[in-house]
Amino acid sequence: MATVRGHAPLASQAANRSYNVASVWEQTAALNESQLQAIDTLSQSCTQRPYPTHVVEDQRFTADTAESHTKDAYVGTLEDAVLHNTNQFHKWHTELEAACASEMEEKYKRYADLLNNHLKLCEGILGKVDQTIEYFDTLLTQHRDVSQKSKALYNSCEQLVKEKDQLVEFADAIRTKLKFFDEFETVYAQFQKAQLSLDNDQFLQLLKKLDDCMAYVATNPQYADAGTYTTKFRQLQARALGAVRSKVQQVMKHAVVQVQAAIQEAVPKPAGQTAASAAAAAQQVPVLAEGTEVSLLYVRFRAAAEPNLKGLVKEVESRTSRPEYMRLLEECIALYAAARQQLVSPFLSQRLHQEQAAQPLPAFTRAGCEHLLRVCQMEAQLFEQFFPSLGKSAPEHLAPLTEPLCTLLYDALRPPIITLQDIDELCELVDILKHEVLGEQVGRRGGGAEALRPMLTRTLADVQARLIYRCQAFIKDEVAGYSPSAADVDYPAKLERAAIEAAEAASTSAAAAPGDSNGHSAAAEANGAAAAAPAAASPYAALYPPLRSTLLCLSKLYRAVDGRTFGGLAQEAVAACTSSVQQASRQVARKAGPLDAQLFMIKHLLFLREQIAPFDVDFAATDIDLDFTHMRDHLRRILAGESSLFTLSSNNAVVKMLGTGGPRVLTYQVDSKKELEKALKGVCEAFIMAVTKVAVEPMLSFITKVTAVRVAAQANAATAKPLREQAFAVPAKVAEMVGKVNEALAGPLPAAIKKMSTYLPNPATHAILFKPVKSNIAEAHGQVAALLAAEYAPEEAAGVQLYQPHQLAALLDAMC
């Protein structure tokens, strides 16, 4: 082993050096792929070819020489060994491997010895560590035992302290809860001492303490005897609140007595008055001036009542979140309202009666509303002084006072309103109530005046209802049921007289010079004439009275009622007026002719349409009727015995009548404005046709006959004759017909146009109505001219004196 260990470094060094030489050689002299292939090829060739002769000899020589030496021995050491044959190489290689293995084995053995030494050292350390850990485990166990015992002791102390605190807290809670129950006797005793004086602070403190006790007992009904104590507290609170109520009532009565005494002192007493007369005068309501009324009824009352109630009422207002105090406050307000009503009502009633007796109804309405508004405003201000927390809702809480005061004015206004007949006066009342009082004064005077709004609204509704009734009666009497006199339907003489009066008034006003020597009298005459001229020239002067009444009624009613109501009344009025004008036109037709009747209708219906155009309402009304006409067949079958009333089936006559034969509901809309337009359109068309017939009726008759002849000729062409051979169409007849038309164009037609100007003075209306007349006349002349050119010889046509188109146009334009 020593020999091997001695040679091991040498063998290792030789192996390493050999490996290094080979690797360096491989890196520095690397062969490419082609070279490697060439070497492989040479290697294969060398293995296949026989050895050369000199090589064989050398081998033989080597073998002979080796025999003389040891065959497996080699020369040199492992590092510089000389190898002569394969055996020597194998031997050398074997020794080299053995040296390497011996070297490696020695290294591992040394490392194993080192590891064994380390293992022994670690095992010793591990044993000491295990022993130390055992000591630590023992110490930890002892520490844990001590810690658990300390923690248990601490928890016990904490539990004892906590239980002590809980017991103390529980004792305090019981003491606190029992305090509210124990307070009853204290509060009751103190209340008995303080109930005679409600103004001191002690009573208010007791009241607050009583409320706290009641609130606590009410929120904890589960406590023993809670119901009993609740009843006791409520009884005590009821006595306290009753004392407050009595106090308020007593103060109010005392204030009323003081004010009444002051009023009696303020009224002057006549000299020599006996005791009986003084007692009678005391029972009468004295007349107070406005300044005196304010100072006595308001300032004196406040001075007498407010100091005794201000603190008490303020305390009650601060607790209105509780229902019993809210009821108490309402009762105090009711007592206040009763006291104020006892003072104010007699003076207000007396003032209203005086004004009603001295003024007409509109003036009394205006004055009464103004006075009542002033009273309500002062009452609201006084109410805010007594109940300051209710200032914003004063109108609501003042209702028990303001409603009776408003009823005084309402009772004074309603009887004359429901008996009033004059529509103008009713409209004036509506204007006063709706615009002056409700629209201006109520908003301007603030919240106190809002208390009058319900009464004013109710009064306005009564006036409007009366106005609607009177308007319906007016329409029924003066429009629908109007019976015209001879002067009412004296057309066109009525229009001619109106035109003459207007011309005379205009000439009189023009003749009055400003510098007349008569001075003031001339100026007065001029002013009178100037005033009479517009009246005479007014478009309403020559109107049919029902139309005038309709427009007058609608103009007054428009601002007095709401749009829906006005629409219904307007529909009724316009329909009645249209029907009345149509009836009057028939009387005009019997007296003056159909042309005057048509112009009468056009004038009045056109004027009515123009006057109702500004009204922004719907002149329509929906009517609902029941239709029983289809039930006749059912009744006939029942009476004829075809249907039985006693059949117990679906064929029973009563069942059929109620099921399928019941009355039908018919809904239809009546639009008086559309009916007016329809009537106006119809009468305009009739007038256009009537004027056309006045001018060219012979031509129209001739054209009708020509049309009939041509139709007959188409049906029987064999027996047809030329038009100029017909008896009515010979040239002489045609010339006579054209002559009549020319005479009509020269006489009757201008007279009709002049009559139209009398009825309808507006040139635009003339142009609208006369335009289709001119078109009809021109068309008739054109058809006749075409017949003359087609059916007659030129010399025959020349004998007919027919206007040329330009001549006819000039003639018609000159007329209108």
Side-chain angles (χ1 to χ4, degrees):
M1 291 297 295
T3 305
V4 174
R5 289 180 180 177
H7 291 284
L10 297 176
S12 176
Q13 293 176 0
N16 291 336
R17 189 180 297 112
S18 299
Y19 178 75
N20 292 334
V21 171
S23 62
V24 171
W25 176 259
E26 288 294 334
Q27 292 177 358
T28 56
L31 299 179
N32 56 20
E33 188 69 24
S34 61
Q35 291 173 349
L36 293 175
Q37 291 179 0
I39 291 173
D40 291 338
T41 303
L42 290 175
S43 176
Q44 293 177 2
S45 299
C46 290
T47 55
Q48 294 176 2
R49 292 178 65 184
Y51 292 106
T53 305
H54 64 279
V55 173
V56 173
E57 291 178 354
D58 291 338
Q59 291 178 352
R60 289 176 180 175
F61 175 77
T62 303
D64 293 337
T65 304
E67 288 177 358
S68 61
H69 303 283
T70 303
K71 292 183 179 181
D72 296 333
Y74 57 88
V75 181
T77 63
L78 290 174
E79 296 178 357
D80 54 355
V82 178
L83 304 176
H84 296 280
N85 52 33
T86 305
N87 293 329
Q88 293 177 355
F89 173 79
H90 284 296
K91 183 178 180 180
W92 175 81
H93 185 268
T94 303
E95 291 178 356
L96 182 62
E97 286 182 348
C100 290
S102 176
E103 182 181 0
M104 294 298 293
E105 183 179 359
E106 184 66 22
K107 183 175 67 174
Y108 288 135
K109 287 180 179 180
R110 288 197 304 272
Y111 187 69
D113 294 337
L114 181 62
L115 291 177
N116 289 328
N117 294 330
H118 288 324
L119 179 61
K120 291 178 181 179
L121 181 61
C122 291
E123 287 178 353
I125 294 172
L126 184 61
K128 294 180 180 181
V129 170
D130 292 338
Q131 186 178 3
T132 304
I133 290 173
E134 290 179 359
Y135 291 153
F136 273 107
D137 290 339
T138 303
L139 184 62
L140 182 63
T141 302
Q142 295 175 356
H143 178 270
R144 188 180 296 112
D145 293 339
V146 173
S147 177
Q148 289 179 352
K149 292 178 180 180
S150 300
K151 187 176 181 180
L153 179 60
Y154 178 77
N155 290 335
S156 299
C157 294
E158 288 288 334
Q159 183 66 27
L160 291 175
V161 173
K162 185 176 180 180
E163 289 178 358
K164 175 188 175 182
D165 294 339
Q166 290 178 351
L167 291 174
V168 171
E169 183 180 356
F170 183 69
D172 293 340
I174 293 176
R175 192 179 299 110
T176 303
K177 295 175 181 178
L178 290 177
K179 180 184 68 174
F180 292 98
F181 294 92
D182 296 338
E183 284 288 341
F184 174 76
E185 299 298 334
T186 305
V187 171
Y188 181 79
Q190 292 178 353
F191 179 76
Q192 291 294 335
K193 297 178 182 179
Q195 64 177 348
L196 297 178
S197 178
L198 302 183
D199 299 330
N200 55 15
D201 296 336
Q202 184 181 3
F203 177 80
L204 299 179
Q205 293 176 0
L206 291 178
L207 201 60
K208 184 178 183 305
K209 189 181 294 184
L210 180 62
D211 293 339
D212 295 338
C213 294
M214 287 190 62
Y216 182 80
V217 174
T219 54
N220 297 279
Q222 70 275 10
Y223 294 157
D225 296 335
T228 304
Y229 276 92
T230 300
T231 305
K232 292 180 180 179
F233 280 127
R234 285 181 178 176
Q235 291 176 353
L236 190 58
Q237 186 188 48
R239 291 179 58 186
L241 298 183
V244 173
R245 189 183 306 108
S246 301
K247 175 69 174 180
V248 173
Q249 186 176 11
Q250 180 182 359
V251 172
M252 290 297 174
K253 288 182 178 180
H254 181 67
V256 170
V257 171
Q258 286 188 359
V259 172
Q260 290 177 346
I263 292 174
Q264 294 297 330
E265 292 176 359
V267 176
K269 299 180 180 179
Q273 187 178 18
T274 62
S277 60
Q283 294 179 357
Q284 295 180 356
V285 179
V287 179
L288 298 177
E290 184 174 352
T292 307
E293 180 180 351
V294 173
S295 63
L296 292 176
L297 294 180
Y298 297 95
V299 179
R300 188 64 176 270
F301 181 84
R302 178 183 174 184
E306 186 179 11
N308 298 324
L309 296 179
K310 188 172 183 179
L312 197 60
V313 172
K314 183 178 180 181
E315 190 68 23
V316 173
E317 287 179 343
S318 64
R319 305 180 187 183
T320 50
S321 58
R322 300 172 63 87
E324 55 270 13
Y325 283 94
M326 191 65 201
R327 288 194 297 269
L328 176 61
L329 182 62
E330 292 176 354
E331 292 176 358
C332 293
I333 294 173
L335 294 173
Y336 169 83
R340 293 301 304 166
Q341 183 180 355
Q342 183 180 357
L343 281 177
V344 178
S345 295
F347 296 97
L348 179 61
S349 178
Q350 183 191 37
R351 176 67 66 87
L352 293 176
H353 283 94
Q354 289 177 353
E355 292 179 352
Q356 186 177 17
Q359 296 176 353
L361 183 59
F364 166 64
T365 303
R366 185 181 290 108
C369 291
E370 183 178 358
H371 182 70
L372 190 57
L373 285 170
R374 184 169 61 253
V375 169
C376 289
Q377 186 178 10
M378 290 188 293
E379 289 295 336
Q381 295 173 358
L382 184 63
F383 182 83
E384 291 179 4
Q385 298 298 326
F386 281 89
F387 305 95
S389 66
L390 303 178
K392 295 182 179 180
S393 58
E396 300 177 2
H397 292 89
L398 269 176
L401 172 61
T402 55
E403 286 182 0
L405 298 181
C406 295
T407 304
L408 295 176
L409 179 60
Y410 182 76
D411 293 341
L413 288 175
R414 182 169 174 77
I417 287 175
I418 62 177
T419 58
L420 189 61
Q421 302 292 330
D422 190 2
I423 294 179
D424 293 335
E425 198 167 351
L426 288 170
C427 291
E428 186 179 359
L429 288 175
V430 171
D431 185 70
I432 292 171
L433 293 172
K434 186 176 181 181
H435 301 287
E436 293 183 15
V437 181
L438 286 172
E440 298 178 3
Q441 297 184 19
V442 172
R444 187 176 65 248
R445 290 182 179 272
E450 289 293 330
L452 269 74
R453 188 176 293 276
M455 185 277 297
L456 294 174
T457 305
R458 186 166 68 251
T459 306
L460 177 61
D462 292 342
V463 176
Q464 289 177 336
R466 180 63 181 175
L467 177 61
I468 293 170
Y469 170 75
R470 287 301 305 146
C471 287
Q472 289 177 336
F474 181 81
I475 293 170
K476 181 179 179 181
D477 298 337
E478 300 297 330
V479 180
Y482 183 77
S483 179
S485 62
D488 293 334
V489 293
D490 188 15
Y491 287 86
K494 188 175 181 179
L495 298 175
E496 293 172 354
R497 288 194 300 270
I500 293 172
E501 292 175 359
E504 291 178 354
S507 61
T508 304
S509 61
D516 199 336
S517 59
N518 291 333
H520 296 288
S521 61
E525 291 178 1
N527 293 334
S538 174
Y540 294 94
L543 290 179
Y544 186 53
L547 175 59
R548 212 167 38 238
S549 302
T550 300
L551 296 178
L552 184 63
C553 179
L554 292 180
S555 63
K556 294 177 180 178
L557 198 62
Y558 185 63
R559 295 180 71 251
V561 295
D562 59 280
R564 185 175 181 181
T565 304
F566 177 79
L569 291 174
Q571 184 273 332
E572 183 180 349
V574 171
C577 182
T578 303
S579 177
S580 180
V581 169
Q582 290 175 342
Q583 293 177 4
S585 68
R586 287 191 284 269
Q587 297 186 19
V588 173
R590 290 194 296 267
K591 184 176 180 180
L595 195 62
D596 287 275
Q598 293 167 355
L599 287 172
F600 173 83
M601 278 191 66
I602 292 174
K603 174 183 177 63
H604 288 82
L605 295 182
L606 186 62
F607 191 82
L608 178 60
R609 187 186 69 174
E610 292 175 354
Q611 294 299 316
I612 66 174
F615 297 134
D616 187 17
V617 293
D618 189 9
F619 292 85
T622 302
D623 291 340
I624 300 176
D625 289 339
L626 293 177
D627 184 17
F628 296 92
T629 56
H630 61 285
M631 299 178 65
R632 296 174 182 172
D633 294 336
H634 293 281
L635 295 176
R636 180 182 55 79
R637 285 194 293 270
I638 292 173
L639 295 176
E642 299 177 3
S643 297
S644 176
L645 296 173
F646 306 102
T647 302
L648 299 178
S649 65
S650 59
N651 295 324
N652 187 279
V654 177
V655 174
K656 282 187 175 182
M657 182 176 293
L658 295 178
T660 61
R664 290 192 295 259
V665 179
L666 300 180
T667 303
Y668 58 93
Q669 190 177 38
V670 179
D671 193 335
S672 58
K673 193 172 183 180
K674 290 183 179 180
E675 295 296 329
L676 172 62
E677 296 284 351
K678 182 179 179 181
L680 182 60
K681 181 180 179 182
V683 70
C684 288
E685 292 176 351
F687 173 74
I688 291 169
M689 182 52 84
V691 175
T692 302
K693 288 183 178 180
V694 168
V696 293
E697 184 175 9
M699 282 188 178
L700 297 177
S701 177
F702 176 75
I703 293 170
T704 303
K705 293 178 181 179
V706 169
T707 303
V709 168
R710 287 183 175 179
V711 172
Q714 291 177 358
N716 192 2
T719 59
K721 295 189 298 183
L723 181 61
R724 64 176 179 275
E725 296 180 4
Q726 298 290 336
F728 69 91
V730 296
K733 291 289 187 180
V734 174
E736 181 181 359
M737 178 267 297
V738 173
K740 291 180 180 180
V741 171
N742 292 339
E743 292 177 359
L745 292 175
L749 182 60
I753 300 303
K754 183 178 179 182
K755 189 183 293 292
M756 182 177 67
S757 301
T758 303
Y759 281 91
L760 305 171
N762 191 354
T765 308
H766 301 169
I768 294 173
L769 288 176
F770 195 59
K771 183 177 179 180
V773 174
K774 291 194 293 184
S775 177
N776 293 338
I777 294 174
E779 183 180 359
H781 278 74
Q783 291 180 2
V784 172
L787 289 174
L788 290 176
E791 301 290 342
Y792 294 89
E795 58 275 9
E796 293 175 344
V800 179
Q801 300 297 323
L802 186 66
Y803 284 110
Q804 295 299 319
H806 64 279
Q807 295 175 345
L808 181 63
L811 178 62
L812 295 177
D813 291 339
M815 293 181 185
C816 185

